[in-house]
Each structure stands twice: as C-alpha cells, then as structure tokens.
Amino acid sequence: MNCSSLTNITVPSSVTELGLSCFQGCSSLTNITIPSSVTKLEDGCFLGCSSLSSITIPSSVTELGVGCFSGCSSLSSITIPSSVTELGAECFSGCSSLTSITIPSSVTELNNMFMLFDGCSSLTNITIPSLVTELGDMSFKGCSSLTNIVIPSSVTSLGSECFKGCSSLTSIVIPSSVMFFSVTERGSEIFDGCLKLKKVIFKGKIPFYAESCDLPKTCNIFVPEEFLQEYKNAFKGYPNIYPSRE
C-alpha cells in the first residue's frame, strides 16, 4: 500500500486473494502478474494505481471488490472473465482512459452499479448484461464520451444522476420495464448535462419521478400513444413530445 515507486510485481501462486487496499496508491505500478490461484480482488485492491494501463484477470477470479480499480486513470482496456459473478460499487470509477468494456453475462451482482463507471470520460461503448435490474446512482456520471448505451429490459429503475454529464449521448431508449427514477432533494438529475441528447424513446408507461430527470428542453420525446397525455402533463414546458412510431 502506497509504495509509490513500485513499477512491477509478480504475485506468487500460493496467494488466493489480493486483500483490502493491497496495492492502493502504488502510482508507478505499470505491470502486475496475477496467478490463477487468486479467486478474489478485494475492495480498493488497485485504488489509485494511476500508471496501470492494462491488466489480465485470470479466469479463477469470481469477484472484483468495491473500488477495485478506482482511480486507475491510465487503464485503457480490461477483460472481465466469465468466471466473475460480482462487481463492487465504484469498481471502475475514475478510469478516465477506459474506452470500452463488456460486463459478462455471468455477473449477477453489481451492487446496483453505484458509481460503477463514474468519471470514465473516455468510455464510448459498454455492454450491460440482461440480468441487471438497476442502474444505480451516478453509475455513468461524467462519461462524457459515451455516445450510445442499451438498457436491457431487465432494468426496473434508474438511479439519480445516472447519466449526468454524458455530454456526447445523442439518443437513448428507456424500456417499458423501467418504472422508477430515483430522486434526491434536487430531483433525479438523470440526464443533467446531456447537452447533445436529441431523442429519447420511452417504451412504456411514464416512470415515477420521470419529470425530474432534467432532459434538455429541445429533446424529442417519443412515447406510446396511449400514454401521450400523461407524458405531456408530466413534462410541462417540453414542446416536442410525440406518439412513438417505433
């Protein structure tokens, strides 16, 4: 921990877990070899390893802990093996060089994705598995390069500030399974700062607290015709609400 001059390390095969904050603050670490004996990367394992640009996670690993790679600002690519079933909150927050990531379908526990990719400003593409039921608070906040995201039909709620600051996002589809937008005292702010968002398609009935999500006023909102008036009543001041043709 905080070995700021450490550049390289090989973990011996006798190790089964990389413990709590074990390499936290190792800001010069560029390379690490993790043996196949390791099954878990604990909370904060590589927190602040700002020189780590890539890492291979062996297929023996089943869990990535809370904040595991948080602040790894040079990490540009990572492959999550299909053995992983759990990703901790804030796992990749602040990974500002990460451009693309696929969450395997084996992941069944995401700790509601709280701040999972917060500040991943280079992230342009992500695949979310169909077992995810909630996109948590601030899960994609500050992902300013994200242009497209597919929300699976398993998702039932969007957390506050979920896409806040996603300034490159141009369109998004909200599946009919989404019934709830989380709110704070300031509202949900889900799309606050999404300056290029031009098209939003709601596939079902209006979610609870949808009116507080801070869509741009110029956004074109497409909704099921049977709920058109309900959406117009909720989104007062939004002139471009239309029955969906898709």
Side-chain angles (χ1 to χ4, degrees):
M1 183 175 176
N2 291 322
C3 297
S4 58
S5 298
L6 184 68
T7 59
N8 181 65
I9 188 167
T10 299
V11 180
S13 59
S14 56
V15 173
T16 58
E17 289 188 6
L18 299 187
L20 181 69
S21 303
C22 60
F23 296 107
Q24 179 179 341
C26 294
S27 55
S28 298
L29 186 67
T30 58
N31 183 60
I32 184 167
T33 301
I34 303 173
S36 58
S37 56
V38 172
T39 60
K40 183 179 181 181
L41 307 185
E42 281 277 9
D43 298 353
C45 188
F46 296 102
L47 177 67
C49 292
S50 55
S51 297
L52 191 66
S53 59
S54 65
I55 188 169
T56 300
I57 302 172
S59 58
S60 54
V61 172
T62 60
E63 181 180 345
L64 305 183
V66 174
C68 186
F69 295 100
S70 181
C72 292
S73 55
S74 296
L75 190 66
S76 58
S77 66
I78 188 168
T79 300
I80 303 173
S82 58
S83 56
V84 172
T85 59
E86 182 174 349
L87 298 181
E90 303 178 63
C91 190
F92 299 102
S93 66
C95 292
S96 55
S97 296
L98 192 65
T99 58
S100 179
I101 191 167
T102 297
I103 302 173
S105 58
S106 58
V107 174
T108 56
E109 178 57 58
L110 277 162
N111 286 335
N112 89 359
M113 291 186 71
F114 175 72
M115 292 181 69
L116 190 62
F117 297 101
D118 179 26
C120 292
S121 56
S122 297
L123 189 67
T124 59
N125 182 59
I126 184 168
T127 300
I128 302 172
S130 59
L131 293 175
V132 173
T133 59
E134 180 181 357
L135 302 188
D137 296 349
M138 298 177 277
S139 51
F140 297 98
K141 182 180 178 181
C143 293
S144 55
S145 298
L146 190 67
T147 57
N148 179 62
I149 187 167
V150 176
I151 302 174
S153 58
S154 55
V155 171
T156 60
S157 67
L158 303 183
S160 62
E161 303 182 39
C162 184
F163 298 105
K164 185 174 182 177
C166 291
S167 54
S168 297
L169 193 66
T170 58
S171 66
I172 193 166
V173 176
I174 310 296
S176 59
S177 57
V178 175
M179 300 300 294
F180 186 81
F181 284 8
S182 296
V183 294
T184 66
E185 64 277 5
R186 299 186 305 274
S188 68
E189 298 185 315
I190 287 175
F191 297 107
D192 184 32
C194 295
L195 304 177
K196 294 183 179 178
L197 190 60
K198 300 299 182 186
K199 183 179 182 181
V200 176
I201 300 173
F202 287 90
K203 287 292 192 179
K205 190 175 180 179
I206 188 168
F208 288 104
Y209 306 114
E211 68 276 7
S212 65
C213 68
D214 285 323
L215 287 170
K217 293 291 185 182
T218 56
C219 185
N220 293 311
I221 303 171
F222 295 89
V223 305
E225 188 165 12
E226 61 185 304
F227 302 123
L228 180 60
Q229 192 57 51
E230 186 177 345
Y231 276 91
K232 285 186 173 182
N233 292 341
F235 286 100
K236 289 182 171 65
Y238 286 82
N240 304 317
I241 303 177
Y242 308 104
S244 178
R245 304 300 182 193
E246 300 185 26

